[in-house]
């Protein structure tokens, strides 16, 4: 059954703008803001929208959270430690508020969307002034106005996550790199994952809205766009007769932005059409993030990933044959319930045979409400730690191998900023999404330049600027 997606109406957006103007006219309102962002790129992009709304409401960014009048935590709940960190930081502000009672504290994002969390915030975190879920971010002007007006706490969490929000102002962190969401939510229900519960079902944005946004970014001189979705490969599946993800990619690339990236691809939905598009379209970056999660068929089944080790490896082979210069990265969970030594060794051997550029590795963290949380066979934390350490060591070895193959090559690098270590050093990203440090002037920031790779470190490359 398809759930109905509710598109926020232009009238409601106009209403929020009126709230924003009314808020800006207040004298007793917070003047500065600071947003603390946890978690994935989706959240980072939501924070750019929250910042956009706050700026429309007359607030300006504070350099440090200790100085801000309004501190908003955009939270993540994918693993227990993400949640603990956010709640810890919120609690820390309680002390600051004792000295500065006018400080307003907000909590939003995925964690607030968890069942029971809104109640917990109300009961155990009385110093939180405003809390709202991911389906409510467009209502920030109204909620903050109400909190200032009534001097009372405001909590708003939608029951269902079926909204598609268009037209929010965006205060982007960079002038030359931009996130563009193409779809919200996830239908996959991997048994360990809380995302479908907190972000709701898949909702694809209209192709015309996406292309309009990309066009505008191209005109502003943006050099790199990252298309975002929990599972970009199923873009358009919720729209009868809609375009497929590879078709969308082609049209986005035609807008003329030099570099297009996308995240995340679910291996089960990675089509031959997409592989062909990556191989043929020079605007698509030479990088594919393809989370494998485990190398054991038994664990993949328990995770409800709906592919096998063999079918995953076949897809990797196809990508390598069609586009040998594409770097692969992945996500891996160790110590999923019931993971035996042999299952873990299967993951190790898969990592060895794929040869990823890098991998994000996680110890399984039970999430209330997910199927895996009630599975038997919890793994001893000491065993889990030993496994992740061995996996990290193996991946470091593979990274070294991949990086050293690049020495001597000339790569195009988008310069993202000055290096933290020295002001004569600048840093940037290859199309394959690997960081390169090299000598150069700050005037190159935002440009794509040719760099010869001269050395490989653990997580970054070193290079020398070539004359274009
Ligand atoms: N425990 C550990 N890792 C998880 N991930 C998602 N849910 C969990 C969990 N409960 C990891 C997956 C996913 C990445 C974003 O986070 O590897 O791909
Ligand atoms: Fe979570 Fe799986 Fe959806 Fe990714 S595909 S967001 S891991 S349920």
């Amino acid at each position: 059954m398809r759930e109905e997606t509710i598109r926020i109406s232009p009238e409601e957006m106009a209403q929020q703008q009126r709230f924003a103007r009314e808020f800006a006219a207040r004298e007793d309102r917070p003047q500065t803001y600071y947003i603390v962002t946890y978690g994935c790129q989706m959240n980072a992009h939501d924070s750019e929208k929250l910042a956009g709304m706050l700026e429309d409401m007359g607030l300006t960014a504070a350099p440090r959270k200790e100085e801000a009048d309004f501190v908003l935590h955009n939270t993540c709940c994918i693993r227990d430690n993400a949640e603990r960190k956010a709640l810890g930081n919120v609690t820390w502000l309680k002390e600051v508020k004792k000295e500065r009672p006018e400080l307003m504290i907000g909590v939003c994002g995925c964690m607030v969307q968890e069942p029971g969390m809104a109640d917990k915030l109300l009961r155990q975190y009385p110093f939180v002034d405003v809390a709202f879920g991911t389906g409510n971010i467009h209502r920030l002007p109204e909620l903050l106005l109400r909190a200032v007006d009534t001097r009372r706490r405001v909590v708003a969490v939608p029951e269902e996550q079926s909204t598609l929000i268009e037209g929010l102002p965006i205060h982007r962190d960079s002038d030359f790199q931009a996130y563009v969401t193409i779809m919200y939510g996830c239908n996959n229900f991997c048994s360990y994952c809380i995302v479908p519960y907190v972000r709701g079902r898949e909702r694809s944005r209209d192709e015309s809205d996406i292309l309009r946004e990309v066009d505008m970014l191209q005109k502003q001189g943006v050099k790199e766009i990252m298309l975002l979705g929990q599972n970009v490969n199923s873009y358009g599946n919720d729209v009868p007769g809609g375009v497929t993800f590879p078709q969308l990619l082609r049209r986005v690339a035609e807008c003329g932005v030099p570099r297009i990236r996308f995240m995340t691809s679910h291996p089960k939905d990675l089509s031959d059409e997409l592989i062909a598009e990556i191989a043929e379209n020079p605007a698509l970056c030479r990088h594919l993030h393809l989370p494998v999660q485990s190398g054991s068929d038994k664990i993949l089944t328990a995770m409800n990933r709906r592919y096998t080790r063999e079918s995953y490896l076949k897809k990797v082979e196809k990508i390598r044959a069609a586009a040998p210069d594409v770097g692969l990265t992945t996500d891996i969970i160790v110590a999923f319930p019931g993971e035996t030594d042999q299952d873990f060794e299967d993951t190790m051997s898969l990592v060895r045979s794929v040869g990823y550029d890098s991998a994000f590795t996680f110890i399984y963290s039970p999430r209330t409400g997910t199927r895996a949380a009630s599975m038997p066979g919890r793994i001893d934390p000491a065993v889990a730690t030993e496994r992740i350490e061995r996996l990290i060591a193996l991946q470091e070895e593979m990274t070294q191998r991949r990086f050293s193959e690049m020495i001597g090559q000339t790569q195009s690098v988008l310069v993202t900023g000055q290096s933290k270590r020295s002001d004569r050093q600048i840093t940037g990203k290859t199309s394959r999404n690997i960081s390169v440090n090299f000598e150069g002037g700050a005037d190159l920031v935002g440009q794509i330049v040719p760099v010869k790779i001269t050395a490989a470190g653990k997580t970054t490359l070193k290079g020398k600027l070539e004359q274009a």
Side-chain angles (χ1 to χ4, degrees):
M1 194 184 78
R2 231 164 38 89
E3 283 180 40
E4 203 186 343
T5 300
I6 304 163
R7 205 180 152 109
I8 307 295
S9 67
E11 291 74 32
E12 176 154 12
M13 294 310 271
Q15 174 74 8
Q16 292 298 331
Q17 280 162 9
R18 281 195 289 277
F19 285 129
R21 282 195 296 274
E22 194 180 326
F23 188 89
R26 286 295 163 98
E27 276 179 12
D28 56 345
R29 63 170 172 86
Q31 303 289 325
T32 62
Y33 72 90
Y34 190 93
I35 302 176
V36 190
T37 307
Y38 305 85
C40 64
Q41 284 96 345
M42 286 277 191
N43 258 21
H45 189 37
D46 278 350
S47 288
E48 293 182 328
K49 294 175 185 167
L50 293 162
M53 283 184 279
L54 290 169
E55 304 252 340
D56 274 6
M57 293 162 77
L59 281 79
T60 52
R64 295 175 338 119
K65 71 175 165 184
E66 291 77 0
E67 291 164 34
D69 299 332
F70 177 49
V71 180
L72 181 56
H73 300 79
N74 188 9
T75 61
C76 167
C77 60
I78 195 123
R79 282 169 294 275
D80 187 47
N81 52 5
E83 197 167 309
R84 271 203 316 251
K85 199 162 128 199
L87 287 173
N89 285 341
V90 172
T91 307
W92 179 81
L93 278 181
K94 182 176 148 186
E95 300 306 314
V96 182
K97 197 166 175 152
K98 277 188 190 147
E99 311 208 331
R100 275 203 294 132
E102 72 289 356
L103 167 69
M104 288 187 76
I105 302 175
V107 184
C108 66
C110 292
M111 190 183 79
V112 182
Q113 207 72 44
E114 271 183 274
M117 184 51 81
D119 270 351
K120 182 172 167 177
L121 286 170
L122 278 172
R123 277 186 286 106
Q124 297 176 21
Y125 296 81
F127 45 91
V128 170
D129 300 285
V130 193
F132 52 98
T134 47
N136 261 341
I137 67 169
H138 62 289
R139 289 179 60 206
L140 175 61
E142 172 193 349
L143 302 175
L144 212 50
L145 180 65
R146 208 173 346 134
V148 167
D149 236 2
T150 61
R151 298 279 157 203
R152 297 185 58 168
R153 313 170 62 204
V154 177
V155 175
V157 182
E159 297 253 304
E160 279 175 43
Q161 275 281 50
S162 50
T163 48
L164 189 62
I165 303 168
E166 286 295 339
L168 287 183
I170 304 178
H171 184 79
R172 296 187 192 270
D173 291 338
S174 159
D175 293 335
F176 48 88
Q177 288 176 299
Y179 292 126
V180 173
T181 306
I182 62 165
M183 61 189 303
Y184 300 91
C186 182
N187 288 355
N188 287 314
F189 289 95
C190 299
S191 63
Y192 50 82
C193 185
I194 201 165
V195 168
Y197 302 92
V198 295
R199 288 255 175 193
R201 294 296 73 71
E202 287 176 1
R203 286 100 67 205
S204 300
R205 284 181 72 195
D206 278 356
E207 186 199 11
S208 54
D209 289 326
I210 298 170
L211 293 178
R212 202 174 313 118
E213 189 175 343
V214 172
D215 235 2
M216 187 191 72
L217 292 167
Q218 190 273 338
K219 292 198 176 81
Q220 290 169 2
V222 164
K223 297 281 167 42
E224 185 177 288
I225 283 180
M226 165 84 92
L227 303 176
L228 292 178
Q230 240 76 44
N231 179 16
V232 290
N233 302 51
S234 55
Y235 173 80
N237 287 357
D238 56 328
V239 186
V243 298
T244 63
F245 179 57
Q247 287 166 344
L248 176 75
L249 268 181
R250 201 168 316 147
R251 292 176 196 171
V252 165
E254 280 164 9
C255 295
V257 173
R259 282 183 168 193
I260 312 291
R261 301 184 182 281
F262 54 87
M263 255 184 131
T264 294
S265 293
H266 194 304
K268 78 174 163 53
D269 300 316
L270 181 81
S271 62
D272 289 349
E273 191 190 356
L274 178 59
I275 295 176
E277 193 57 37
I278 297 171
E280 287 156 22
N281 195 331
L284 301 185
C285 284
R286 306 288 89 193
H287 171 222
L288 189 61
H289 186 62
L290 202 58
V292 68
Q293 313 296 0
S294 169
S296 149
D297 280 340
K298 184 190 92 193
I299 298 296
L300 287 173
T301 304
M303 287 176 162
N304 191 33
R305 290 291 288 175
R306 287 176 281 169
Y307 54 83
T308 61
R309 173 190 176 95
E310 192 190 337
S311 67
Y312 182 93
L313 288 172
K314 271 221 174 87
K315 289 199 179 174
V316 168
E317 233 173 78
K318 274 190 184 171
I319 299 158
R320 290 261 151 86
D325 55 340
V326 166
L328 296 174
T329 57
T330 201
D331 293 346
I332 298 171
I333 298 176
V334 303
F336 186 80
E339 186 186 72
T340 60
D341 286 342
Q342 184 53 50
D343 293 322
F344 176 66
E345 292 308 327
D346 289 347
T347 298
M348 293 286 278
S349 72
L350 181 133
V351 167
R352 220 172 270 124
S353 74
V354 174
Y356 296 107
D357 285 356
S358 63
F360 295 101
T361 53
F362 310 104
I363 291 177
Y364 168 70
S365 165
R367 305 280 65 207
T368 310
T370 60
R371 275 206 291 127
S374 54
M375 285 182 188
R378 286 281 169 86
I379 307 299
D380 181 336
V383 173
T385 306
E386 191 197 316
R387 285 182 186 166
I388 202 165
E389 282 172 359
R390 279 186 56 207
L391 180 61
I392 291 169
L394 171 63
Q395 182 51 50
E396 279 176 1
E397 195 187 312
M398 304 309 293
T399 301
Q400 270 295 309
R401 205 174 292 177
R402 286 279 168 225
F403 280 14
S404 45
E405 288 164 9
M406 294 170 200
I407 295 173
Q409 293 176 1
T410 296
Q411 305 254 344
S412 63
V413 172
L414 172 59
V415 184
T416 50
Q418 275 185 301
S419 155
K420 285 178 206 111
R421 292 202 201 119
S422 133
D423 31 319
R424 278 182 32 238
Q425 289 276 316
I426 48 178
T427 181
K429 288 254 170 170
T430 66
S431 167
R432 208 164 149 159
N433 208 31
I434 299 169
S435 297
V436 189
N437 298 313
F438 54 104
E439 209 160 284
D443 54 316
L444 294 179
V445 173
Q447 293 191 38
I448 297 175
V449 295
V451 176
K452 186 166 185 167
I453 307 303
T454 54
K458 266 197 162 180
T459 53
T460 57
L461 298 169
K462 277 198 186 121
K464 190 171 184 320
L465 185 65
E466 299 222 306
Q467 294 313 319

